[in-house]
Amino acid sequence: MKFGILVTEGPYQHQASDSALQFCRAALEKGHEVMRVFFYNDGVNNSTRYTTPPQDDRNIVNSWSELAEKHGIDLVVCVAAAQRRGIVDEGEAQRNGKDGNNIAEGFRISGLGQLVEAGIQCDRIVTFGD
Amino acid sequence: MKFGILVTEGPYQHQASDSALQFCRAALEKGHEVMRVFFYNDGVNNSTRYTTPPQDDRNIVNSWSELAEKHGIDLVVCVAAAQRRGIVDEGEAQRNGKDGNNIAEGFRISGLGQLVEAGIQCDRIVTFGD
Amino acid sequence: MTMLHTVNKSPFERNALDSCMSMANKGSKILLIEDAVVGAVDKNTHAEKIKGAMSDYTFYVLGPDLQARGIDEGNVIDGVNVVDYAGYVDLVAETDNVQSWL
Amino acid sequence: MTMLHTVNKSPFERNALDSCMSMANKGSKILLIEDAVVGAVDKNTHAEKIKGAMSDYTFYVLGPDLQARGIDEGNVIDGVNVVDYAGYVDLVAETDNVQSWL
Amino acid sequence: MAEPWEEDEGPVKKFMFVNRKAPYGTIYALESLEVVLISAAFDQDVSLVFVDDGVYQLKKGQTTDGIGMKNFSPTYRALEGYDIEKLYVSKESLEERGLSEDDLLVDVQVMSKSEIADLMDDQDVVLSF
Amino acid sequence: MAEPWEEDEGPVKKFMFVNRKAPYGTIYALESLEVVLISAAFDQDVSLVFVDDGVYQLKKGQTTDGIGMKNFSPTYRALEGYDIEKLYVSKESLEERGLSEDDLLVDVQVMSKSEIADLMDDQDVVLSF
């Protein structure tokens, strides 16, 4: 079965990202496909490579990057939500006059259409939030 | 009277930052002092200069920077919370091997002791959060 | 000592107002801000809770937050005082301490 | 069609479970995850709500979230099914749609 | 000929947006609306449900100057222009808040939660903000 | 001689931390604890209150392997070493959840909400997470 995942909260503050990661891992283990994880609202904060969690804690951003690479998952960060929260890639930095970017490996910034498209193409959309 | 302010949520997702800003402005207008605003939990996300809100919307990060400059308010971002969420200044970037930093004008990263110190030195601590 | 308690969550959504009222001493001031202002409307199913507690507490509600949610001051429970941000600051200054029920 | 409804908030703190149960059709499955698992404990003051709705819904609770909060499976309401993340995936796959009550 | 949304298969799916939060206290109402507008561009069969404090999103007379935020409520009036006309509001949620249909800034269908439940069961995608 | 916290003026203030949320679903419990530990280093008069779902922060037997998060509950046992010994738990909150003092992993004072209210009224700084 083809899953789409929607994450609407940032890492650490709420369990949403952790639950979403565990759900994805379990789905993949069962042979399902995770087509796309869409990061919306504060969920866009899952995609910054500037995080440095304590050494004895999980690294949520890296977990997403690794999962995506291993299983070919499309990690999409909503551009409008990202602009409000300060998540930028190279192109966004250039367009908005920022002197750097902070997006992590495996994430891409795109429009809300990618969420609707996931809704159309996937068998299920599962939301994790506050 | 000397106020200390604690903000525990990021900008935009919750009204906390907006309420805190309005409260600070009203307090300053009445002749009170705002000694320090301490950003904790997701509140640290108030301090990234990478945000680009829509042109017809308020710019919360800039509002903090301007208020701080005008009234000499100490804007302190908790280092441990910032590390979890990807807020870095030059020093933090160097220490944690990041290739850039995203902290906005007028904010500084420091320890939780700054919150306790504000509690000791201020007449009131007012918290804004979720 | 007199305390100011602020509540920022709708009583329809969360237990913050209930929790506040179960731990605020008589004579305390309770200010409703942000989404909590919907609790200050008369004729809603939570209004009795506030009306019944008016002998114990003085209630305030933040006007700008009422207006944002399209709530007319005329629909606020009688005896609940509407204040602006300046009034909010005064409440913090004139009480001895403030607790935010988040 | 059979729906899966997930609730992730404690019934002591928020109205999410109430709201879910007021809009979930009979025959729906309801899965408690994250902080909502505290609602699955027998002997708590919200337990009757779930017990009374067992003829309408099948209830599930996420084991890893119970364990994290130190809740022994033996204290879960009789008839509420404990599942792991794999079971969560199965519930999503075997129902026709899923709604998260956030 | 069947309307697209009456087909079992095909590119048109039934999307329902469930709005349960008051506006301004959190951004969910605004960012939910942004998804709704995009979904219209995809010609999907879109429904909006307003329950619990979500009914305040449609309240007339929102004035946000005092909180320094943008009043986005006029956008609900623009939905019709995007062919989004299925707006459902919970009767119980209105009543609990002392509100009636006259308090709302757009035309909606007021229905009971059990009617909303039937609609929800009939969707392909339910998104809740 | 008066104890430092009995003075009206001076560097020692009464700090109360009010913990109302279950652990792990949100980070508030953990990050509240981090402030508590720092406040100890400042030799303040620190009290911790656990009410509502906050009582679950002290529940015995927390096992977090299954959710991939760190179990931070042992830190509550370390508080004594930092001279933080004023841990108050709401009797009502325990009872509503079917819990008793035996379910908690540290020694606490169980008291009624009205007793906690009196303590709260007597603080200089109340921080709620």
Side-chain angles (χ1 to χ4, degrees):
Chain A
M1 189 167 266
K2 195 188 273 194
F3 288 113
I5 306 292
L6 172 60
V7 178
T8 65
E9 297 293 335
Y12 302 107
Q13 185 102 335
H14 300 90
Q15 202 184 338
S17 307
D18 293 286
S19 298
L21 273 164
Q22 299 279 13
F23 183 90
C24 287
R25 287 187 191 119
L28 292 163
E29 207 155 295
K30 283 191 155 280
H32 295 294
E33 180 190 348
V34 177
M35 175 219 176
R36 179 172 292 156
V37 182
F38 192 85
F39 297 92
Y40 195 42
N41 306 119
D42 268 5
V44 301
N45 290 325
N46 280 276
S47 71
T48 169
R49 68 170 183 277
Y50 283 179
T51 52
T52 312
Q55 292 207 316
D56 58 351
D57 200 357
R58 70 233 187 260
N59 187 318
I60 294 176
V61 177
N62 287 356
S63 298
W64 282 121
S65 297
E66 287 159 16
L67 200 71
E69 201 196 356
K70 191 168 167 194
H71 299 278
I73 303 168
D74 190 19
L75 304 181
V76 181
V77 178
C78 170
V79 60
Q83 285 173 345
R84 281 197 185 92
R85 277 95 173 169
I87 299 294
V88 289
D89 60 11
E90 230 171 274
E92 278 292 298
Q94 207 155 30
R95 269 187 293 283
N96 298 311
K98 304 297 177 189
D99 60 342
N101 72 77
N102 57 350
I103 197 148
E105 194 71 30
F107 292 85
R108 66 187 179 97
I109 294 181
S110 187
L112 273 171
Q114 302 285 312
L115 171 59
V116 180
E117 189 190 81
I120 294 169
Q121 295 183 0
C122 293
D123 299 299
R124 300 282 186 283
I125 297 288
V126 188
T127 307
F128 295 89
D130 177 27
Chain B
M1 191 167 265
K2 194 188 275 197
F3 288 113
I5 306 291
L6 172 61
V7 178
T8 64
E9 297 292 335
Y12 302 107
Q13 185 102 336
H14 300 89
Q15 201 183 339
S17 308
D18 294 285
S19 297
L21 273 163
Q22 300 279 13
F23 182 90
C24 287
R25 289 189 190 113
L28 293 162
E29 208 155 293
K30 285 193 154 274
H32 295 295
E33 179 191 349
V34 177
M35 174 219 177
R36 178 172 295 156
V37 183
F38 192 85
F39 297 91
Y40 194 43
N41 306 121
D42 267 6
V44 300
N45 290 325
N46 279 276
S47 71
T48 168
R49 68 171 184 276
Y50 282 180
T51 53
T52 311
Q55 292 206 319
D56 60 351
D57 200 357
R58 71 229 186 265
N59 188 318
I60 295 176
V61 176
N62 287 356
S63 298
W64 283 122
S65 296
E66 287 158 17
L67 200 73
E69 199 194 357
K70 192 169 167 196
H71 300 277
I73 302 168
D74 190 19
L75 305 181
V76 181
V77 178
C78 168
V79 60
Q83 287 175 341
R84 281 197 184 94
R85 278 97 172 168
I87 299 293
V88 287
D89 61 11
E90 230 171 277
E92 278 292 299
Q94 209 156 28
R95 269 186 293 283
N96 298 310
K98 306 296 177 189
D99 59 342
N101 71 78
N102 58 350
I103 198 149
E105 196 70 31
F107 291 86
R108 65 185 179 98
I109 294 180
S110 187
L112 273 170
Q114 302 283 311
L115 170 59
V116 180
E117 189 191 82
I120 295 168
Q121 295 183 1
C122 293
D123 299 299
R124 301 283 185 280
I125 297 288
V126 188
T127 306
F128 295 89
D130 177 28
Chain C
M1 306 235 308
T2 305
M3 273 190 80
L4 173 67
H5 299 268
T6 67
V7 177
N8 72 338
K9 287 299 172 303
S10 162
F12 289 97
E13 190 199 358
R14 302 208 203 176
N15 71 342
L17 179 61
D18 284 335
S19 193
C20 166
M21 285 169 55
S22 73
M23 271 183 284
N25 268 336
K26 277 190 189 188
S28 295
K29 301 181 179 200
I30 299 179
L31 169 65
L32 308 176
I33 67 167
E34 301 181 359
D35 285 348
V37 301
V38 308
V41 175
D42 203 0
K43 297 181 304 181
N44 86 33
T45 51
H46 283 275
E48 290 308 318
K49 198 182 294 174
I50 289 179
K51 286 183 191 171
M54 282 192 162
S55 52
D56 291 341
Y57 310 120
T58 316
F59 285 93
Y60 302 85
V61 60
L62 196 63
D65 277 323
L66 279 176
Q67 290 155 22
R69 287 150 190 87
I71 299 169
D72 195 277
E73 287 191 19
N75 291 327
V76 167
I77 297 166
D78 263 352
V80 174
N81 307 284
V82 180
V83 298
D84 58 9
Y85 286 102
Y88 183 174
V89 171
D90 289 342
L91 283 170
V92 174
E94 78 198 20
T95 49
D96 297 295
N97 199 354
V98 52
Q99 148 73 343
S100 302
W101 295 85
L102 303 177
Chain D
M1 304 235 307
T2 306
M3 275 189 78
L4 173 67
H5 298 268
T6 65
V7 177
N8 72 337
K9 288 298 173 303
S10 163
F12 290 97
E13 189 198 359
R14 302 208 203 177
N15 71 343
L17 179 60
D18 284 335
S19 194
C20 166
M21 284 168 54
S22 73
M23 272 185 284
N25 268 334
K26 278 191 191 188
S28 295
K29 300 179 178 200
I30 299 178
L31 169 64
L32 308 177
I33 67 168
E34 300 180 359
D35 285 349
V37 301
V38 307
V41 174
D42 202 1
K43 297 181 304 181
N44 87 32
T45 52
H46 283 276
E48 290 308 318
K49 198 182 293 174
I50 289 179
K51 286 183 192 171
M54 282 194 162
S55 51
D56 292 341
Y57 309 121
T58 316
F59 285 94
Y60 302 84
V61 61
L62 196 62
D65 277 323
L66 279 176
Q67 290 154 21
R69 288 151 189 88
I71 299 169
D72 194 278
E73 287 192 19
N75 291 326
V76 168
I77 298 167
D78 263 351
V80 173
N81 307 285
V82 181
V83 297
D84 58 9
Y85 285 103
Y88 183 174
V89 171
D90 289 342
L91 283 170
V92 173
E94 75 197 21
T95 50
D96 297 295
N97 201 353
V98 54
Q99 149 72 344
S100 303
W101 296 86
L102 301 176
Chain E
M1 198 187 124
E3 297 287 345
W5 53 86
E6 290 173 328
E7 296 176 25
D8 268 1
E9 300 287 325
V12 174
K13 280 194 170 183
K14 293 182 181 173
F15 279 74
M16 174 178 277
F17 294 88
V18 181
N19 300 289
R20 296 181 51 239
K21 310 281 172 79
Y24 308 113
T26 51
I27 203 172
Y28 303 113
L30 170 59
E31 292 194 328
S32 172
L33 196 51
E34 292 184 354
V35 189
V36 167
L37 292 171
I38 298 287
S39 66
F42 279 75
D43 290 323
Q44 299 300 298
D45 178 16
V46 175
S47 308
L48 275 67
V49 167
F50 298 87
V51 295
D52 298 336
D53 285 330
V55 301
Y56 278 111
Q57 297 179 20
L58 301 181
K59 180 78 179 62
K60 275 181 190 162
Q62 299 175 30
T63 311
T64 56
D65 305 344
I67 59 167
M69 291 166 72
K70 194 186 157 193
N71 173 8
F72 59 90
S73 65
T75 310
Y76 294 105
R77 286 212 199 88
L79 290 177
E80 215 180 342
Y82 291 87
D83 290 327
I84 295 172
E85 295 174 329
K86 297 179 181 174
L87 276 66
Y88 307 113
V89 174
S90 157
K91 188 172 171 289
E92 297 88 342
S93 298
L94 284 176
E95 284 172 0
E96 287 165 11
R97 286 157 188 80
L99 296 172
S100 74
E101 208 174 333
D102 292 341
D103 290 307
L104 306 183
L105 48 76
V106 281
D107 286 336
V108 300
Q109 282 176 259
V110 175
M111 45 174 71
S112 69
K113 285 189 173 180
S114 72
E115 291 174 290
I116 294 175
D118 288 337
L119 282 174
M120 191 185 289
D121 258 14
D122 197 36
Q123 301 296 313
D124 295 304
V125 181
V126 183
L127 296 176
S128 189
F129 289 100
Chain F
M1 200 187 125
E3 297 287 342
W5 52 85
E6 289 173 329
E7 294 175 28
D8 267 359
E9 302 288 325
V12 174
K13 281 196 168 181
K14 294 182 181 174
F15 279 72
M16 174 180 278
F17 294 88
V18 181
N19 300 289
R20 295 180 52 239
K21 310 282 171 78
Y24 309 112
T26 51
I27 203 169
Y28 303 112
L30 170 60
E31 291 193 330
S32 172
L33 195 51
E34 292 183 354
V35 188
V36 167
L37 293 171
I38 298 290
S39 66
F42 279 74
D43 289 323
Q44 300 300 299
D45 179 17
V46 176
S47 309
L48 276 66
V49 167
F50 299 87
V51 295
D52 298 337
D53 284 331
V55 300
Y56 279 109
Q57 297 178 20
L58 301 181
K59 179 78 179 63
K60 276 182 191 163
Q62 298 175 31
T63 312
T64 56
D65 306 342
I67 60 168
M69 292 166 71
K70 194 186 155 190
N71 173 8
F72 58 91
S73 66
T75 310
Y76 295 105
R77 286 212 199 91
L79 289 176
E80 215 180 343
Y82 291 87
D83 288 327
I84 296 173
E85 294 174 330
K86 297 180 180 175
L87 275 64
Y88 308 113
V89 174
S90 156
K91 188 171 172 288
E92 296 88 341
S93 299
L94 284 177
E95 285 171 358
E96 286 165 12
R97 287 158 187 80
L99 296 172
S100 74
E101 208 175 333
D102 291 340
D103 291 307
L104 306 182
L105 49 77
V106 280
D107 286 336
V108 299
Q109 281 176 261
V110 175
M111 44 174 71
S112 70
K113 284 188 173 182
S114 73
E115 291 174 289
I116 294 175
D118 288 337
L119 281 175
M120 192 184 288
D121 259 14
D122 196 37
Q123 301 296 313
D124 297 303
V125 181
V126 182
L127 295 176
S128 190
F129 290 99

